[in-house]
Amino acid sequence: MRFFITLLFLATISSSFSQQIYKRTLKLMGSRFDITVVEKDKTTANQYINIAVEEIQRIEKLISSWDKNSQTSLINDNAGIKPVKVDAELFDLIFRAIQISKLTDGAFDISYASMDRIWKFDNSMKEMPSEEEIKASVARVGYSYIILDKKKSTVFLTQKGMKIGFGAIGKGYAADKAKNLLISKGVKAGIINASGDMNTWGKQPDGSEWKVAITNPLNKNNAFALLPVVEKAVVTSGNYEKYVILDGKRYSHIIDPRTGYPSTGIVSATVFAPKAELADALATSVFVMGIETGLNRINQLKGIECIIIDDQGNIHTSDHIKIDNK
Ligand code: ADP
Ligand code: MG
């Protein structure tokens, strides 16, 4: 009898402690975030999700160029005037962004940002900007005009009117930070999905791996590949949400910092990498580099893979990606 009771007790414990998936969807950094944790009960899950939300809001405050009081705005306001002292965290993020600029021959460049005076992707643009306007504007773009002083922890934009922006790397960075914070608090598994910037750790409650569905944007309802993401990040940049059509041609919100013109030809780029920050930046870079150069560069980087869909609906993959189309 006693044996029986003990067994029953154990069974109750194991069912109330069994792990479940808890997810919250909310708007952060101007985008949709889905935060998922695997936990034993709703209260605990909610506490952890709150921690992730606070972390993402903290980062947004630091890197937002919309927030007039952020350190990033202070750097931009002082372009061509003086260096600005910033937190080590922001300094390091800018340092890594410049490294990625070097890695991509300038295709990725956080100083693209002043181009937002010329190109607007909110439906307000009715005609092509003139060549002169673009030329004048792109003269203020260039990562070599960002001067870092590690000792003083200062950032100086040397050109007047210059701006930096983290639109192509910030969500990935926030996803990495939120994930690492939750891991450090003991959360065994989860997903941070920042509008397509996905970062996973651990496994699903049934022991299976997290999987990501890659969809063809030219046929939205049709996921064409289901790929496992094990302890890594996968990021998709697409021009099917933010773009402008001028003279019948579709221009993406990703600008080539070297010419000042939006990139064309690619509708979606998905990058797999150990960190969301790098995946995010590289997905944007692939748009600018184009299919051939983009794939070449990705193939040179260990542990990084890429899937590109061009504007004709063709799929191009890096060397080690295998897509099972069935
Ligand atoms: P999304 O945020 O839509 O997923 P991305 O991660 O590709 O897309 O980032 C695109 C954003 O990055 C643009 O909206 C803009 O803010 C910024 N950006 C555009 N061109 C560049 C570039 N060449 N290098 C760095 N950032 C860029
Ligand atoms: Mg990006």
Side-chain angles (χ1 to χ4, degrees), residues 151-196:
K151 269 208 191 108
K152 294 186 180 144
S153 193
T154 58
V155 183
F156 180 37
L157 309 181
T158 61
Q159 310 299 105
K160 255 207 139 54
M162 203 179 152
K163 282 205 296 194
I164 54 170
F166 298 100
I169 190 171
K171 289 201 299 282
Y173 174 64
D176 284 340
K177 290 286 283 185
K179 167 183 160 174
N180 290 340
L181 186 59
L182 291 188
I183 290 174
S184 77
K185 302 274 178 200
V187 181
K188 294 276 181 294
I191 308 172
I192 312 285
N193 182 356
S195 300

Side-chain angles (χ1 to χ4, degrees), residues 249-263:
K249 200 167 170 187
R250 182 193 274 249
Y251 293 93
S252 85
H253 64 301
I254 295 172
I255 314 265
D256 187 332
R258 299 158 299 191
T259 63
Y261 282 86
S263 64

Side-chain angles (χ1 to χ4, degrees), residues 29-277:
M29 306 180 101
S31 313
R32 178 194 157 127
F33 271 66
D34 300 292
I35 301 171
T36 303
V37 295
V38 174
E39 271 304 328
K40 56 186 188 307
D41 63 74
K42 199 170 172 182
T43 314
T44 319
N46 271 330
Q47 282 166 355
Y48 285 129
I49 292 173
N50 289 344
I51 291 174
V53 170
E54 276 166 28
E55 176 67 352
I56 295 160
Q57 285 168 336
R58 184 189 68 77
I59 293 165
E60 182 175 12
K61 263 196 138 148
L62 191 66
I63 68 172
S64 163
S65 32
W66 305 114
D67 180 349
K68 282 282 139 237
N69 300 313
S70 73
Q71 292 192 0
T72 303
S73 292
L74 207 58
I75 295 172
N76 290 341
D77 290 345
N78 284 290
I81 302 171
K82 63 171 196 286
V84 172
K85 194 168 163 51
V86 297
D87 290 357
E89 182 177 5
L90 183 59
F91 184 94
D92 292 344
L93 179 65
I94 296 171
F95 179 82
R96 293 195 302 277
I98 294 173
Q99 299 298 108
I100 299 172
S101 296
K102 291 177 182 164
L103 184 74
T104 59
D105 302 321
F108 178 85
D109 194 330
I110 53 171
S111 75
Y112 83 92
S114 65
M115 296 304 298
D116 69 2
R117 299 193 184 100
I118 302 282
W119 297 101
K120 301 192 190 311
F121 301 97
D122 56 2
N123 289 325
S124 64
M125 250 180 111
K126 298 289 170 248
E127 57 183 47
M128 278 294 273
S130 71
E131 235 170 85
E132 290 72 40
E133 278 178 290
I134 293 174
K135 255 204 181 131
S137 211
V138 84
R140 291 192 289 262
V141 175
Y143 64 91
S144 60
Y145 301 139
I146 308 172
I147 307 299
L148 299 181
D149 185 327
K150 175 90 182 154
K151 269 208 191 108
K152 294 186 180 144
S153 193
T154 58
V155 183
F156 180 37
L157 309 181
T158 61
Q159 310 299 105
K160 255 207 139 54
M162 203 179 152
K163 282 205 296 194
I164 54 170
F166 298 100
I169 190 171
K171 289 201 299 282
Y173 174 64
D176 284 340
K177 290 286 283 185
K179 167 183 160 174
N180 290 340
L181 186 59
L182 291 188
I183 290 174
S184 77
K185 302 274 178 200
V187 181
K188 294 276 181 294
I191 308 172
I192 312 285
N193 182 356
S195 300
D197 291 19
M198 290 243 294
N199 213 340
T200 70
W201 72 104
K203 287 188 170 160
Q204 302 194 45
D206 66 3
S208 62
E209 285 158 354
W210 299 112
K211 289 197 180 74
V212 60
I214 312 284
T215 54
N216 187 336
L218 301 177
N219 183 357
K220 266 200 171 175
N221 302 320
N222 182 14
F224 72 85
L226 204 57
L227 298 168
V229 268
V230 185
E231 307 293 336
K232 65 180 170 192
V234 52
V235 167
T236 299
S237 274
N239 81 350
Y240 38 97
E241 274 156 5
K242 270 194 253 165
Y243 60 88
V244 57
I245 294 180
L246 298 170
D247 302 332
K249 200 167 170 187
R250 182 193 274 249
Y251 293 93
S252 85
H253 64 301
I254 295 172
I255 314 265
D256 187 332
R258 299 158 299 191
T259 63
Y261 282 86
S263 64
T264 56
I266 294 178
V267 291
S268 133
T270 299
V271 172
F272 294 79
K275 280 185 170 188
E277 176 187 313

